[in-house]
Amino acid sequence: MRKDLLGIKDLSSREIEVLLETAERFKEVSEREIKKVPTLRGKTIINLFYEPSTRTRTSFEIAAKRMSADTINISASSSSVVKGETLLDTARNLEAMNPDAVVIRHPFPGAPHMIAKEIKASVINGGDGAHEHPSQALSDLLTVKEKKGRIEGLLIVIAGDIAHSRVARSNILAFKKMGAVVRVVGPPTLIPYGIEDMGVEVSYDLGEAIKDADVIMMLRIQLERQKGGFFPSLREYSALYGLNLEKLKSARRDVVILHPGPINRGIEIAPEVADGPYSLILNQVTNGLAVRMAIFYHLLGGKE
Ligand code: CP
């Protein structure tokens, strides 16, 4: 297996299959009374987060602990980053303490790639700007595979703020590698120019786009990455691109709904949809933990 996990772009479909199969096996550990295996005993894993996170950081930490590794969490806001230390200096100083892996989330695309070249420890991308979020895409693949029994041939509709979404990018790459058809839908201002070159279908009409979907993945409007002016108001965005029970009537009865979280309830997804029978949102979180155990296993511990 490779040293780092920086993006879905680098993985072959076989590597993705192996990671998903490993994650399926690791799920059982979290259902035991004693939720622990010795796989990573003696290993040290650092979570280095320059952006807020609930799901990714917690699940990487729990994954490491369930595999008996020692874990340390560093938030940029409470580290020497606020005194002006550069990312590279931070990485080199952490490297001097000989960790085995660094999980990094950073607002700049390519930040994990840069430190991966500089340090011996494995680097795992926990989300870099609007570029990639590979562990989220693997969690989403596992969630769909579990429910549908396959990925190949499914129609996956990814809806909303495609332009600012690392989840969209990683999921487009992941689902396409595994043989699915991917359609993106959103307002023209939030669909990047030339996205068809990634091999996706493009739609600007949510009601039309979801009619034949097997999976609908709603995305959060990323106001923190937007410089403004992408749509007139949140109210109008919600009316046109928010998924509610009325719009869902046009979808197939066996459709499933994903959202990577955090959810803007009542904006891109209505509470009745997020909490309703088609929603797999919490399954994504459960699977996220198993996927992160599988990532650690292949980068640090295990043999195929
Ligand atoms: N999906 C996701 O990355 O969530 P967090 O920002 O809470 O980690």
Short mmCIF file of all heavy atoms in Angstrom, two decimals, residues 46-53 57 72-87 90 94 103-107:
data_model
loop_
_atom_site.label_atom_id
_atom_site.label_comp_id
_atom_site.label_asym_id
_atom_site.label_seq_id
_atom_site.Cartn_x
_atom_site.Cartn_y
_atom_site.Cartn_z
N ILE A 46 -1.30 11.97 14.62
CA ILE A 46 -1.61 13.37 14.94
C ILE A 46 -2.72 13.86 14.02
O ILE A 46 -2.65 13.72 12.80
CB ILE A 46 -0.35 14.26 14.75
CG1 ILE A 46 0.75 13.81 15.71
CG2 ILE A 46 -0.70 15.74 14.96
CD1 ILE A 46 2.07 14.56 15.55
N ASN A 47 -3.77 14.42 14.61
CA ASN A 47 -4.83 15.10 13.86
C ASN A 47 -4.51 16.59 13.86
O ASN A 47 -4.55 17.24 14.90
CB ASN A 47 -6.18 14.93 14.57
CG ASN A 47 -6.88 13.65 14.17
OD1 ASN A 47 -6.70 13.15 13.07
ND2 ASN A 47 -7.69 13.13 15.07
N LEU A 48 -4.18 17.14 12.70
CA LEU A 48 -3.77 18.55 12.59
C LEU A 48 -4.83 19.29 11.78
O LEU A 48 -4.88 19.18 10.55
CB LEU A 48 -2.39 18.59 11.90
CG LEU A 48 -1.79 19.96 11.61
CD1 LEU A 48 -1.57 20.77 12.88
CD2 LEU A 48 -0.45 19.79 10.87
N PHE A 49 -5.70 20.02 12.49
CA PHE A 49 -6.86 20.60 11.81
C PHE A 49 -6.81 22.12 11.81
O PHE A 49 -6.84 22.76 12.87
CB PHE A 49 -8.17 20.09 12.46
CG PHE A 49 -8.59 18.77 11.87
CD1 PHE A 49 -7.77 17.66 11.96
CD2 PHE A 49 -9.80 18.64 11.19
CE1 PHE A 49 -8.13 16.44 11.39
CE2 PHE A 49 -10.17 17.43 10.62
CZ PHE A 49 -9.33 16.32 10.72
N TYR A 50 -6.71 22.69 10.60
CA TYR A 50 -6.69 24.14 10.41
C TYR A 50 -8.08 24.69 10.10
O TYR A 50 -8.22 25.88 9.84
CB TYR A 50 -5.75 24.52 9.24
CG TYR A 50 -4.28 24.41 9.58
CD1 TYR A 50 -3.67 23.16 9.66
CD2 TYR A 50 -3.51 25.54 9.79
CE1 TYR A 50 -2.32 23.06 9.95
CE2 TYR A 50 -2.15 25.44 10.08
CZ TYR A 50 -1.57 24.20 10.16
OH TYR A 50 -0.23 24.10 10.45
N GLU A 51 -9.07 23.79 10.05
CA GLU A 51 -10.47 24.21 9.82
C GLU A 51 -11.34 23.43 10.78
O GLU A 51 -10.97 22.34 11.21
CB GLU A 51 -10.91 23.85 8.38
CG GLU A 51 -10.41 24.76 7.30
CD GLU A 51 -11.05 24.41 5.95
OE1 GLU A 51 -11.57 23.30 5.78
OE2 GLU A 51 -11.00 25.28 5.07
N PRO A 52 -12.53 23.97 11.08
CA PRO A 52 -13.42 23.24 12.00
C PRO A 52 -13.84 21.88 11.43
O PRO A 52 -13.88 21.68 10.22
CB PRO A 52 -14.64 24.15 12.11
CG PRO A 52 -14.20 25.48 11.63
CD PRO A 52 -13.11 25.24 10.64
N SER A 53 -14.15 20.97 12.32
CA SER A 53 -14.63 19.64 11.91
C SER A 53 -15.29 18.97 13.10
O SER A 53 -14.81 19.08 14.23
CB SER A 53 -13.45 18.78 11.44
OG SER A 53 -13.86 17.43 11.30
N ARG A 57 -12.70 14.78 12.17
CA ARG A 57 -11.70 14.74 13.23
C ARG A 57 -12.06 13.69 14.28
O ARG A 57 -11.22 12.89 14.70
CB ARG A 57 -11.54 16.11 13.89
CG ARG A 57 -10.29 16.15 14.73
CD ARG A 57 -9.98 17.52 15.22
NE ARG A 57 -10.84 17.86 16.34
CZ ARG A 57 -10.67 18.94 17.10
NH1 ARG A 57 -9.71 19.78 16.83
NH2 ARG A 57 -11.48 19.19 18.09
N ILE A 72 -3.16 12.44 19.08
CA ILE A 72 -3.04 13.83 19.57
C ILE A 72 -3.83 14.70 18.59
O ILE A 72 -3.70 14.54 17.37
CB ILE A 72 -1.57 14.31 19.58
CG1 ILE A 72 -0.76 13.51 20.60
CG2 ILE A 72 -1.47 15.80 19.90
CD1 ILE A 72 0.02 12.41 20.02
N ASN A 73 -4.65 15.61 19.14
CA ASN A 73 -5.41 16.55 18.30
C ASN A 73 -4.81 17.93 18.40
O ASN A 73 -4.60 18.43 19.51
CB ASN A 73 -6.87 16.63 18.77
CG ASN A 73 -7.62 15.37 18.41
OD1 ASN A 73 -7.55 14.89 17.29
ND2 ASN A 73 -8.31 14.80 19.38
N ILE A 74 -4.55 18.53 17.25
CA ILE A 74 -4.06 19.92 17.26
C ILE A 74 -5.01 20.76 16.41
O ILE A 74 -5.24 20.46 15.23
CB ILE A 74 -2.63 20.02 16.66
CG1 ILE A 74 -1.68 19.09 17.42
CG2 ILE A 74 -2.15 21.46 16.67
CD1 ILE A 74 -0.29 19.03 16.83
N SER A 75 -5.57 21.81 17.03
CA SER A 75 -6.36 22.79 16.28
C SER A 75 -5.47 23.98 16.03
O SER A 75 -4.80 24.46 16.95
CB SER A 75 -7.56 23.26 17.09
OG SER A 75 -8.41 22.18 17.32
N ALA A 76 -5.49 24.47 14.81
CA ALA A 76 -4.64 25.62 14.47
C ALA A 76 -4.87 26.77 15.44
O ALA A 76 -3.94 27.44 15.86
CB ALA A 76 -4.91 26.05 13.04
N SER A 77 -6.14 26.95 15.84
CA SER A 77 -6.48 28.12 16.68
C SER A 77 -5.85 28.06 18.07
O SER A 77 -5.70 29.08 18.72
CB SER A 77 -8.00 28.24 16.80
OG SER A 77 -8.51 27.05 17.36
N SER A 78 -5.46 26.86 18.51
CA SER A 78 -4.84 26.79 19.84
C SER A 78 -3.40 26.30 19.75
O SER A 78 -2.84 25.75 20.69
CB SER A 78 -5.65 25.85 20.75
OG SER A 78 -5.74 24.58 20.15
N SER A 79 -2.78 26.50 18.57
CA SER A 79 -1.39 26.06 18.39
C SER A 79 -0.52 27.28 18.07
O SER A 79 -1.01 28.41 18.00
CB SER A 79 -1.31 25.08 17.21
OG SER A 79 -1.45 25.80 16.00
N SER A 80 0.76 27.03 17.81
CA SER A 80 1.66 28.14 17.49
C SER A 80 1.43 28.72 16.09
O SER A 80 2.12 29.66 15.69
CB SER A 80 3.13 27.69 17.65
OG SER A 80 3.40 27.54 19.03
N VAL A 81 0.46 28.16 15.37
CA VAL A 81 0.06 28.75 14.08
C VAL A 81 -0.40 30.20 14.31
O VAL A 81 -0.10 31.09 13.52
CB VAL A 81 -1.08 27.93 13.43
CG1 VAL A 81 -1.69 28.65 12.24
CG2 VAL A 81 -0.56 26.54 13.03
N VAL A 82 -1.09 30.44 15.43
CA VAL A 82 -1.57 31.81 15.69
C VAL A 82 -0.41 32.77 15.97
O VAL A 82 -0.57 33.97 15.90
CB VAL A 82 -2.60 31.87 16.85
CG1 VAL A 82 -3.89 31.19 16.49
CG2 VAL A 82 -2.04 31.29 18.13
N LYS A 83 0.79 32.21 16.26
CA LYS A 83 1.96 33.08 16.47
C LYS A 83 2.72 33.28 15.16
O LYS A 83 3.79 33.87 15.13
CB LYS A 83 2.90 32.46 17.50
CG LYS A 83 2.27 32.26 18.86
CD LYS A 83 3.29 31.60 19.79
CE LYS A 83 2.61 30.92 20.97
NZ LYS A 83 3.49 29.96 21.64
N GLY A 84 2.21 32.69 14.09
CA GLY A 84 2.82 32.92 12.78
C GLY A 84 3.64 31.77 12.24
O GLY A 84 4.30 31.90 11.20
N GLU A 85 3.61 30.61 12.89
CA GLU A 85 4.40 29.47 12.38
C GLU A 85 3.82 28.99 11.06
O GLU A 85 2.59 28.86 10.92
CB GLU A 85 4.39 28.34 13.41
CG GLU A 85 5.33 27.20 13.05
CD GLU A 85 5.59 26.26 14.23
OE1 GLU A 85 4.61 25.73 14.77
OE2 GLU A 85 6.75 26.07 14.59
N THR A 86 4.68 28.70 10.11
CA THR A 86 4.21 28.23 8.80
C THR A 86 3.78 26.77 8.90
O THR A 86 4.19 26.03 9.80
CB THR A 86 5.30 28.33 7.73
OG1 THR A 86 6.34 27.40 8.07
CG2 THR A 86 5.87 29.74 7.62
N LEU A 87 3.00 26.34 7.89
CA LEU A 87 2.57 24.94 7.83
C LEU A 87 3.78 24.01 7.77
O LEU A 87 3.84 22.98 8.44
CB LEU A 87 1.67 24.74 6.60
CG LEU A 87 1.30 23.29 6.28
CD1 LEU A 87 0.53 22.64 7.42
CD2 LEU A 87 0.48 23.22 4.99
N THR A 90 5.50 23.82 11.09
CA THR A 90 4.68 23.01 12.00
C THR A 90 4.89 21.53 11.68
O THR A 90 5.13 20.71 12.58
CB THR A 90 3.19 23.39 11.85
OG1 THR A 90 3.04 24.77 12.15
CG2 THR A 90 2.32 22.57 12.78
N LEU A 94 6.51 18.67 14.13
CA LEU A 94 5.77 17.46 14.52
C LEU A 94 6.56 16.22 14.11
O LEU A 94 6.64 15.24 14.86
CB LEU A 94 4.38 17.46 13.87
CG LEU A 94 3.44 18.58 14.35
CD1 LEU A 94 2.13 18.54 13.56
CD2 LEU A 94 3.15 18.46 15.84
N VAL A 103 -2.95 13.37 10.10
CA VAL A 103 -4.19 13.65 9.37
C VAL A 103 -4.32 15.15 9.33
O VAL A 103 -4.31 15.80 10.38
CB VAL A 103 -5.42 13.05 10.08
CG1 VAL A 103 -6.69 13.33 9.28
CG2 VAL A 103 -5.25 11.55 10.32
N ILE A 104 -4.43 15.72 8.14
CA ILE A 104 -4.46 17.19 8.06
C ILE A 104 -5.70 17.68 7.32
O ILE A 104 -6.07 17.13 6.27
CB ILE A 104 -3.17 17.76 7.41
CG1 ILE A 104 -3.29 19.29 7.26
CG2 ILE A 104 -2.85 17.11 6.08
CD1 ILE A 104 -2.01 19.98 6.89
N ARG A 105 -6.33 18.69 7.90
CA ARG A 105 -7.37 19.46 7.19
C ARG A 105 -6.85 20.89 7.09
O ARG A 105 -6.40 21.46 8.08
CB ARG A 105 -8.70 19.43 7.93
CG ARG A 105 -9.69 20.42 7.34
CD ARG A 105 -11.08 20.25 7.87
NE ARG A 105 -11.70 19.05 7.35
CZ ARG A 105 -12.99 18.75 7.53
NH1 ARG A 105 -13.77 19.56 8.23
NH2 ARG A 105 -13.50 17.64 7.03
N HIS A 106 -6.93 21.44 5.87
CA HIS A 106 -6.35 22.78 5.64
C HIS A 106 -7.17 23.52 4.59
O HIS A 106 -7.66 22.90 3.64
CB HIS A 106 -4.89 22.62 5.18
CG HIS A 106 -4.07 23.85 5.38
ND1 HIS A 106 -4.14 24.93 4.53
CD2 HIS A 106 -3.18 24.18 6.35
CE1 HIS A 106 -3.32 25.87 4.97
NE2 HIS A 106 -2.73 25.45 6.08
N PRO A 107 -7.31 24.85 4.74
CA PRO A 107 -8.11 25.59 3.74
C PRO A 107 -7.45 25.68 2.36
O PRO A 107 -8.14 25.97 1.38
CB PRO A 107 -8.25 26.99 4.36
CG PRO A 107 -7.17 27.09 5.38
CD PRO A 107 -6.90 25.70 5.86
#
